[in-house]
Every structure is written in structure tokens, then in C-alpha cells.
Amino acid sequence: GLGRVAKALGMSIHVYDPFLPQAVVDSFGATRHETPADVFRACTHITIHAFLSPQTKNMVNQDLIGLMPGVAPDGTKCGNHIVNCGRGGIIDEAAAAAALQSGKLTSLALDVFDKEPCGATPLLEAERFQGSPHVGASTIEAQNRVGAEIAGAVLAALDGAPPRGNLVNKDVQPKFAAPKPKM
């Protein structure tokens, strides 16, 4: 995943996630922070992987962006960069556009917006903004692969086998019997 790519590039991984088990944080050699503000103070490159809730609505605002250091711990002036891989509405779009305009934010990439389909947003006028219309997984290849994976998972479940791949909430999943013999 993204953490492995960041480590391969020599980046350190910083995490704020009150729900993530410490064992997962430790497995990446990541630094856990107590608040989003602590992450923004420590990082020049931030990816958002959150769901939209009253607590996360416009969470990435002028105050948080203003905390970003723009300089890596080794002294490299690399600017401040944010990618939202979560939901639209987490980034305060007006604040992000102003930060791009002022140079506080070096780049911003979104494929989700506060209002979709995306209408008038100041981000569309910003030079260092990259946006796409929430179609990250909408290629023909991705849709074919997802369809095949779903069909395979349904057939496996009907056969009594546990789902393959990334199974979330394993502790609340039903216990699966051994696969039935084929006739």
C-alpha cells in the first residue's frame, strides 16, 4: 500500500487514526499522533483516508494547513502537499484554494469534492491543483476486475469457503465451514 511506497522513498510514516490497532501502526514503523494537528505539524506530504462525519467535515482547513512545515526533518525544502483519498467535504475547498494561491500549500490532489458532481469551486482555478471527477476506479479494466472478484467471492461463500483477500472485522464474521466436496 501507500505506506510501503512512502518507506521505499525514504519517507517516515505518521498516523492519526483513533481506530487503528497499535500493532498495525507498529508493523509499518509509523509514528502515531494524538491529533490531526500533530500530524500536520510534523509532515510535508499528507494523504487523507477518512470517512465524512460531523467531526471530519472541513477538518483540513486553514488552521491545519497553516501548521505544515514545508521543510523535511533533514532540511529539504519540499513544500506542503495533500492528497485526499477519503471523502469529499473533508477538505475545506476555499481554504485549500487560498493556501495554494498564497504558496502555503504547494500542491493538492482530489478525486472527491464537497459537492458532486463538482460545480463551482475555487480549486479549479488553482494552478497546482489536480482533480478528477471521482472516477478513480471507473476504468473498464477496474470494473471488469471488480465484477470477477465479486462473482468469485460469492461462489466461494456459497461453497462454504471464507472470503479471500482483505477481510475486515474478522472477529465478527461468521465461522466458515470447510469447502464442500465438488460433485
Side-chain angles (χ1 to χ4, degrees):
L2 186 58
R4 288 181 197 89
V5 172
K7 286 197 83 102
L9 293 171
M11 297 173 139
S12 57
I13 301 171
H14 295 256
V15 175
Y16 168 75
D17 186 336
F19 307 107
L20 191 65
Q22 187 61 42
V24 175
V25 175
D26 294 342
S27 74
F28 283 100
T31 301
R32 177 178 233 133
H33 293 276
E34 294 298 315
T35 68
D38 293 338
V39 173
F40 277 74
R41 257 186 226 100
C43 299
T44 57
H45 293 72
I46 295 179
T47 61
I48 309 295
H49 306 266
F51 57 89
L52 184 62
S53 70
Q55 292 79 24
T56 62
K57 177 73 175 167
N58 290 325
M59 176 179 72
V60 179
N61 57 24
Q62 178 181 355
D63 294 338
L64 279 184
I65 294 169
L67 296 174
M68 296 178 77
V71 177
D74 68 357
T76 303
K77 294 180 181 177
C78 51
N80 296 314
H81 310 270
I82 299 175
V83 176
N84 185 10
C85 301
R87 295 287 180 225
I90 294 171
I91 305 280
D92 177 337
E93 294 176 10
L100 285 167
Q101 180 68 28
S102 73
K104 179 60 182 174
L105 190 57
T106 309
S107 68
L108 175 68
L110 308 176
D111 87 332
V112 290
F113 295 87
D114 187 32
K115 299 210 178 358
E116 293 186 353
C118 178
T121 173
L123 291 173
L124 296 177
E125 303 301 320
E127 283 187 33
R128 294 177 313 275
F129 171 70
Q130 298 294 316
S132 65
H134 203 163
V135 294
S138 293
T139 64
I140 292 171
E141 296 84 359
Q143 292 303 302
N144 288 340
R145 187 176 61 248
V146 168
E149 288 175 6
I150 291 170
V154 169
L155 290 173
L158 291 172
D159 196 34
R164 293 179 308 228
N166 187 16
L167 179 62
V168 296
N169 298 328
K170 292 178 185 176
D171 55 329
V172 297
Q173 294 292 327
K175 301 298 179 209
F176 291 91
K180 299 174 188 169
K182 303 231 185 237
M183 295 190 170

